[in-house]
Amino acid sequence: MARIVVVGAGVGGLAAAARLAVTGHEVTVFERADTVGGKLGRHTHDTPEGTFHFDTGPSLLTLPQVFHDLFEATGAKLDEYLDLAPLDPIVRHVFGSGEPLDSCADPDEFAARIGAVLGGRAAADWQRLWRRAGRVWAASERDILRRRVDSPRDLASLAWRLGDLAAIAPGRTLRGLGRSHLSDPRLRMLLDRYATYTGADPRRAPAALVAVPYAELTFGGWYLRGGLGTLADALLSRCLDLGVVVQTGATVTGIDAVGGRVHGVRLAGATAPVPADVVVANVDALTVYRDLLPTPRRLATLTDRSLAGFVLLLGVRGDSGLAHHNVFFPRDYDAEFDAVFGDPGRGLRARPAVDPTVFVTVADDPTVRPAGHEAWFVLVNAARQGTAPGAVDWRRPGLAQAYADRVLDVLAERGVDVRDRLLFRQVRTPADLDAATGAPGGAIYGTAGGLLRPANRGPARGLWLVGGSSHPGGGLPMVALSAQIVAEEIGPAW
């Protein structure tokens, strides 16, 4: 039996803790916040009309089989804890003009919807891209997502089939793939958006990210009744049932790794370190390498930081007739990415996008809002918090409220004006996410998307990394898979 300390009670940390506890290890989880869940955040707002509940992180569950496997591996059934509701449409895409395009988990039906809205050529283009995406998904799922990838050498040594290499197209961007396959600019815009799922700019993100829409639109998108935060509750319950000790309000300030192996962790306010044979860090990899190890270390894969998000939580009177997930695209997507990431080649600093893509989640769930009202989660791609050229100082007086006004104006320009129906609004900036979760700069995914992220094996013996900033990447299923990889590498206690 190993004494294992898990730093952080996000989904990756809780999933790893449960998997390790069920195999006989003594597991303790330390979480700096007062609640578990990490970026799977929740917020409630009380009004005279009733209480509004918001998911402030992920609003969509994909690859549900990953979570079925997780719960079965820990001796339970997912359906005993969570109420999964399939979504159709998964996402409603609203372009500058024309009828909305609703995605769904039936490839033939989605192609038919594309044909009805964008024409037969667009549908044929999508089906051709879809066949390629299927090959990329199969190769990624088989060779990357469920195994350790510690270095470029590991990727290079994989026994790729020639067809896999042709589909993955190393060196090609997602934007380039879309331009070569899709003649309709609206479909290209739809494909580009999936780069932001990994925090990346589609003009720089690898073409292999075409596997992301394939996974979402093949295995479906799901909502958890009561909100996605119920997943954190379910994982906490599994951990406690398995004997895991979970301490909230406990900040780990350092990892003792003298002599090249871990010996324990240091807690804020504690007089002595907590001994451990193994440490699993469910915090941003940048924080681990820069702040928690005895000697700060540089890692090439940590330099390219992901985008962040600017969020509005809205209490809205009446029924807006929106889908669960809605994406309102801008006229000029490149201008948005230039703003979010900056453009060093033209000497442009990052800045709030004037005409951004606006993502709106409106859950048709009576448990999350009073009757006759809607709880809106509004997300806009944003530069991370900071003063560097690739960041924005969101703490600058007046900026957050002024940009909130702009986002509501943009929605009104795109046909969804709720300014006269607002019961309240709350603003969350990248600076707020940084403060709440410890994500440096509020970067949602740690590093920008790619096939190579910080490895699960840390630089000291007995140190492991899980979560969206490490391999295999961001998103709830990827985070759960990182926990599975690490638990299998550590192995059972017997």
Side-chain angles (χ1 to χ4, degrees), residues 177-232:
L177 184 68
R179 285 185 170 177
S180 67
H181 282 72
L182 305 173
S183 56
D184 193 294
R186 291 164 291 185
L187 271 188
R188 294 178 189 170
M189 195 176 291
L190 185 153
L191 179 64
D192 276 353
R193 190 179 73 86
Y194 284 95
T196 67
Y197 273 41
T198 64
D201 182 336
R203 300 169 299 185
R204 298 172 54 211
L209 290 183
V210 73
V212 178
Y214 184 86
E216 178 180 296
L217 301 179
T218 298
F219 303 102
W222 305 76
Y223 172 68
L224 304 181
R225 290 187 177 90
L228 270 288
T230 58
L231 175 60

Side-chain angles (χ1 to χ4, degrees), residues 113-483:
R113 293 180 185 182
I114 293 172
V117 176
L118 305 180
R121 180 180 177 184
D125 287 348
W126 182 261
Q127 288 176 311
R128 183 164 61 97
L129 178 69
W130 198 247
R131 290 190 289 272
R132 179 171 186 157
R135 295 197 298 273
V136 176
W137 167 256
S140 301
E141 203 265 348
R142 181 188 67 240
D143 293 330
I144 298 176
L145 301 183
R146 295 180 180 272
R147 55 175 288 173
R148 275 176 46 207
V149 176
D150 292 340
S151 69
R153 187 183 305 109
D154 292 335
L155 286 176
S157 66
L158 292 173
W160 296 107
R161 300 182 179 95
L162 290 179
D164 294 340
L165 280 173
I168 290 171
R172 197 173 194 180
T173 65
L174 188 66
R175 168 66 63 83
L177 184 68
R179 285 185 170 177
S180 67
H181 282 72
L182 305 173
S183 56
D184 193 294
R186 291 164 291 185
L187 271 188
R188 294 178 189 170
M189 195 176 291
L190 185 153
L191 179 64
D192 276 353
R193 190 179 73 86
Y194 284 95
T196 67
Y197 273 41
T198 64
D201 182 336
R203 300 169 299 185
R204 298 172 54 211
L209 290 183
V210 73
V212 178
Y214 184 86
E216 178 180 296
L217 301 179
T218 298
F219 303 102
W222 305 76
Y223 172 68
L224 304 181
R225 290 187 177 90
L228 270 288
T230 58
L231 175 60
D233 296 334
L235 289 172
L236 175 62
S237 179
R238 287 306 306 137
C239 284
L240 296 178
D241 288 346
L242 293 166
V244 176
V245 176
V246 180
Q247 294 188 26
T248 57
T251 301
V252 172
T253 59
I255 297 172
D256 183 357
V258 176
R261 70 154 297 119
V262 300
H263 305 283
V265 301
R266 297 185 300 279
L267 296 177
T271 57
V274 177
D277 305 304
V278 174
V279 173
V280 177
N282 181 210
V283 296
D284 194 291
L286 177 61
T287 300
V288 174
Y289 280 82
R290 183 188 64 187
D291 303 332
L292 297 184
L293 289 173
T295 303
R297 302 187 182 209
R298 293 184 179 273
L299 196 64
T301 50
L302 293 174
T303 58
D304 191 10
R305 304 302 290 167
S306 88
L307 56 73
F310 182 90
V311 170
L312 299 180
L313 306 178
L314 306 179
V316 178
R317 300 182 184 90
D319 184 352
S320 303
L322 296 181
H324 186 101
H325 292 117
N326 310 267
V327 175
F328 297 89
F329 284 107
R331 291 180 293 273
D332 186 346
Y333 220 1
D334 281 357
E336 177 180 346
F337 290 117
D338 286 345
V340 170
F341 291 99
D343 188 344
R346 290 187 287 164
L348 297 177
R349 295 178 61 94
R351 58 208 181 276
V354 174
D355 187 33
T357 302
V358 184
F359 177 81
V360 181
T361 298
V362 185
D364 183 15
D365 183 349
T367 69
V368 302
R369 57 4 179 224
H373 296 76
E374 295 174 331
W376 281 33
F377 172 84
V378 180
L379 173 67
V380 170
N381 296 328
R384 66 188 186 276
Q385 165 63 29
T387 56
V392 168
D393 184 4
W394 291 100
R395 296 190 178 98
R396 194 169 75 234
L399 175 60
Q401 293 303 326
Y403 196 53
D405 291 340
R406 176 58 192 158
V407 171
L408 292 176
D409 290 345
V410 167
L411 280 173
E413 292 167 6
R414 296 178 192 169
V416 186
D417 191 350
V418 294
R419 291 172 296 186
D420 62 349
R421 295 196 287 124
L422 289 183
L423 189 62
F424 65 88
R425 83 177 189 189
Q426 294 189 351
V427 179
R428 301 284 185 91
T429 73
D432 296 320
L433 182 64
D434 185 336
T437 68
I444 298 174
Y445 303 97
T447 53
L451 294 180
L452 190 64
R453 288 176 174 265
N456 301 117
R457 182 188 289 277
R461 186 179 177 189
L463 175 61
W464 298 88
L465 281 72
V466 299
S469 70
S470 59
H471 178 75
L476 291 174
M478 299 300 106
V479 165
L481 287 175
S482 75

